[in-house]
Amino acid sequence: MATPAKVSKPEGKNNHDNADEQADKEQQEAIEQIDEVQNEIDRLNEQASEEILKVEQKYNKLRQPYYSKRSDLIAKIPNFWVTSFVNHPQISALLNEEDEEALQFLTKVEVQEFEDIKSGYKINFYFDSNQYFENDVISKEFHLNETGEPSSKSTPIKWKSGKDLTKKSSTPSKGGRKRNVEEQESFFCWFTDHGDAGADELGEVIKDDIWPNPLQYYLASEIEEDGGDDMDEEGMMDEEDEEDYEGEEEEGEGDEDGEDEGDDGEDEG
């Protein structure tokens, strides 16, 4: 029996397969090299984070004397902090009328970042003697443990008899953008809310927005009023200018009419 002749594969197909294998190999090598470069980038990012943290810690210490001086000056201005809170769009939405009355006794706000800034911070609220609670200081702390899990704790508020604002629903403040009366919780409920410390927006707003420059919020209402006055003055000036312009137009028209009459007289003559 004759042996079947061997059929050779087309040379073009072999070349195509070899080209695909080479392309796959080059792609895999490129991926491995990209991964190596990315590891170097990540290493530099970690190094940068450590350096940035050292710089933040350094300047955080340097800022402390200025914070203390600022607090002493703020103490000379009545209702500085409650005004700043009311003028802040996010915090004002959390305040009802009784909250604002209680915050009239707030004399000082202080943000303390821990030695290891990444591990958390503490916000202290200092109060004058008042009819609502016994505390001179109420604090809330935010912690981040080694595994990155957030937690918070706060000072128990020693409410005076019948004055616990967290147990009654009050009339929303006149600032607008408030929830229904039945749903309006007290600002002081925040001190007992530890459900999601990692997403505590109020704590972040106080630490990152108000604390660095509270003066801008204290002055916010005055700036708005000044802006309104300027707009009114500009509006009045515009009206006056428009009246003057109209008057000039009328005079111009009168002069033209006079000239036309004069020309007619000359033609008749």
Side-chain angles (χ1 to χ4, degrees), residues 70-219:
R70 187 181 69 183
S71 292
D72 292 341
L73 294 170
I74 287 174
K76 299 178 181 181
I77 303 175
N79 299 326
F80 179 92
W81 286 107
V82 65
T83 302
S84 300
F85 284 179
V86 168
N87 287 341
H88 192 282
Q90 289 173 269
I91 295 183
S92 65
L94 304 175
L95 301 177
N96 57 47
E97 288 186 359
E98 286 193 304
D99 289 334
E100 290 188 23
E101 291 177 9
L103 291 173
Q104 300 280 341
F105 300 93
L106 179 62
T107 58
K108 180 181 177 181
V109 174
E110 180 182 53
V111 175
Q112 295 178 326
E113 294 193 86
F114 299 148
E115 184 68 23
D116 180 2
I117 296 176
K118 293 188 296 183
S119 65
Y121 60 95
K122 179 179 181 180
I123 305 177
N124 300 315
F125 298 78
Y126 295 80
F127 290 89
D128 276 338
S129 177
N130 60 80
Q131 69 268 32
Y132 294 96
F133 42 78
E134 302 288 349
N135 309 66
D136 295 328
V137 183
I138 303 174
S139 304
K140 187 167 184 178
E141 299 181 26
F142 298 87
H143 296 267
L144 202 64
N145 62 22
E146 295 178 356
T147 63
E149 183 179 354
S151 63
S152 63
K153 62 180 181 179
S154 58
T155 306
I157 301 177
K158 301 175 183 177
W159 295 101
K160 293 182 179 180
S161 179
K163 294 294 185 178
D164 189 344
L165 300 182
T166 65
K167 292 184 177 179
K168 52 186 176 180
S169 174
S170 300
T171 304
S173 171
K174 297 177 181 178
R177 295 190 305 169
K178 300 291 187 273
R179 294 169 287 182
N180 293 331
V181 175
E182 295 80 6
E183 300 175 353
Q184 179 72 21
E185 288 186 342
S186 169
F187 168 84
F188 291 91
C189 289
W190 172 68
F191 290 97
T192 58
D193 182 6
H194 306 292
D196 192 358
D200 194 306
E201 293 184 10
L202 180 53
E204 293 293 327
V205 165
I206 294 173
K207 179 176 76 75
D208 296 331
D209 195 9
I210 290 185
W211 173 247
N213 185 7
L215 184 62
Q216 64 177 325
Y217 292 105
Y218 176 78
L219 297 174

